[in-house]
Structure formats: structure tokens, C-alpha cells
């Protein structure tokens, strides 16, 4: 069930059914990321190269053995061209801070996401690489 549907059911009900919540737990970061990669047709090997990390470490990030840093998550979002809502969700599922536009780096990231800036240009603009 989509989050919006679950929220709607919770708003309409007089008695909260906790089984409904338990049956609709959020996906793990890894599950959500794999769904996004499948949806966007992104190959794991291409993403790992774009992240500029060791191959083994990259696969550990993708299989859930290691949790990516916040910057790595933002790079993933930029590489697969996620919108702001999905980027925020990816950060949340990984237990990382949401983007906050009062922080310069975050403002730059939001700008690049909203303006569909290509990956290399975005990385140079945000992190000076």
C-alpha cells in the first residue's frame, strides 16, 4: 500500500489498527534503492563507477552490508535523477538528515535536483569536484 493511501486510512478511521501499520512497514533503504535502480534502469556497476568508490565497497553499499554516507546518498540521487521527494525519502530510510535549504551545500543540491543538472556538473557545483 502506498504511503498516501495508508495516511488516508489513518485519517479516516476512529480506531487505529496497529496491524495495518505493521503490515505496511516502510521498505529498507536497500529495498527502496534497488526499486529505484530498477525503475530508472541503472546498472549497479555504472552507479559504483559514478560514485568513484572501490568495486567491493560499492557492492557492499548496494547490498546493505554498509550504509552509504549522506554525500554518497545525494550522489546516488543526482546520478539516477531523483526528484526532491524521493531524495528526501532515500535519506530518511538510510537514517540520514533531510536536505535543509538553509545549509549552502543542501541549497546547491536542491537547486541541482530541481533543475535536472547533469551529474558531473552537479558534483562540481556542490562539492567542487
Amino acid at each position: 500500500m502506498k504511503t498516501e493511501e495508508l495516511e488516508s486510512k489513518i485519517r479516516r478511521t476512529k480506531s487505529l489498527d496497529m496491524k495495518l501499520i505493521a503490515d505496511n512497514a516502510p521498505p529498507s533503504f536497500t529495498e527502496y534503492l534497488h526499486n529505484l535502480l530498477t525503475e530508472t534502469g541503472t546498472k549497479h556497476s555504472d552507479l559504483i563507477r559514478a560514485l568513484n568508490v572501490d568495486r567491493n565497497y560499492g557492492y557492499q553499499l548496494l547490498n546493505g552490508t554498509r550504509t552509504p554516507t549522506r554525500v554518497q546518498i545525494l550522489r546516488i540521487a543526482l546520478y539516477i535523477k531523483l526528484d526532491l521527494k524521493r531524495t528526501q525519502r532515500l535519506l530518511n530510510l538510510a537514517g540520514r538528515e533531510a536536505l535543509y535549504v538553509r545549509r549552502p551545500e543542501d541549497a546547491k543540491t536542491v537547486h541541482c535536483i530541481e533543475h535536472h543538472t547533469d551529474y558531473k556538473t552537479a558534483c562540481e557545483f556542490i562539492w567542487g569536484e
Side-chain angles (χ1 to χ4, degrees), residues 33-34 37-38 42-49 59 62:
L33 179 57
H34 281 284
L37 294 176
T38 299
T42 304
K43 292 180 182 179
H44 292 187
S45 57
D46 292 341
L47 177 59
I48 290 167
R49 263 192 302 282
Y59 281 104
L62 296 176

Side-chain angles (χ1 to χ4, degrees), residues 51-66:
L51 292 175
N52 196 28
V53 295
D54 176 73
R55 183 177 169 272
N56 289 333
Y57 180 72
Y59 281 104
Q60 289 173 344
L61 294 176
L62 296 176
N63 72 22
T65 306
R66 294 190 183 228

